[in-house]
């Protein structure tokens, strides 16, 4: 049996130090260099800053609604994109039904106005 090679401690020390530097130093550098939201807003044009502040709550509300819908869609056994298409189709059908109902209501109002004016039915 040949003699066992000695462990190269210098090499393994360099490897461990380099790995620690990359795995700890990389994220730390990214965290240190990334500006906060307040720092970004401080660099904004005053008009953009004003508009951003005005629309912030609306965007947050839209995002919350989006996340709520995603959670609702994920409860289904179907893939999310299929559930989303089905939901869009349901909304489209509901809008069509609402449009038809509104059209019937407008036609009924017109007919009522004709009767009140004494013009009678056009049909």
């Amino acid at each position: 049996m040949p003699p066992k090679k000695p462990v190269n401690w210098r090499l393994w020390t360099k490897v461990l130090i380099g790995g620690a530097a990359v795995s700890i130093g990389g994220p730390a550098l990214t965290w240190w260099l990334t500006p906060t939201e307040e720092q970004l807003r401080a660099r904004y044009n005053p008009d953009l800053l004003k508009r951003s502040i005005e629309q912030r709550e609306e965007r947050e509300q839209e995002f919350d609604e989006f996340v709520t819908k995603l959670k609702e869609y994920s409860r289904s056994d179907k893939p999310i994109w299929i559930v989303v298409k089905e939901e869009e189709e349901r909304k489209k059908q509901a809008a069509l039904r609402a449009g038809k109902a509104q059209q019937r209501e407008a036609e009924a109002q017109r007919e009522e106005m004709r009767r009140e004016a004494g013009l009678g039915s056009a049909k």
Side-chain angles (χ1 to χ4, degrees), residues 64-76:
D64 288 342
E65 290 172 5
F66 173 73
V67 170
T68 304
K69 284 184 180 180
L70 276 182
K71 287 179 183 178
E72 184 180 313
Y73 295 157
S74 67
R75 290 187 188 128
S76 174

Side-chain angles (χ1 to χ4, degrees), residues 25-100:
L29 181 66
T30 302
W31 176 75
W32 184 61
L33 291 177
T34 304
T36 63
E37 190 172 328
E38 290 79 28
Q39 290 171 335
L40 285 175
R41 289 184 193 277
R43 295 182 196 168
Y44 275 7
N45 178 340
D47 295 334
L48 286 176
L49 179 62
K50 181 181 173 188
R51 193 169 29 173
S52 174
I53 290 172
E54 289 172 354
Q55 296 174 350
R56 175 186 236 169
E57 192 166 319
E58 181 182 332
R59 283 193 319 270
E60 287 176 354
Q61 184 179 5
E62 288 175 2
F63 180 74
D64 288 342
E65 290 172 5
F66 173 73
V67 170
T68 304
K69 284 184 180 180
L70 276 182
K71 287 179 183 178
E72 184 180 313
Y73 295 157
S74 67
R75 290 187 188 128
S76 174
D77 292 338
K78 301 176 188 175
I80 288 180
W81 55 90
I82 292 175
V83 177
V84 169
K85 280 188 178 181
E86 290 173 353
E87 181 68 24
E88 287 174 354
E89 189 64 33
R90 269 186 249 138
K91 284 183 180 179
K92 187 177 178 182
Q93 293 298 327
L96 286 174
R97 284 193 298 272
K100 287 180 183 178

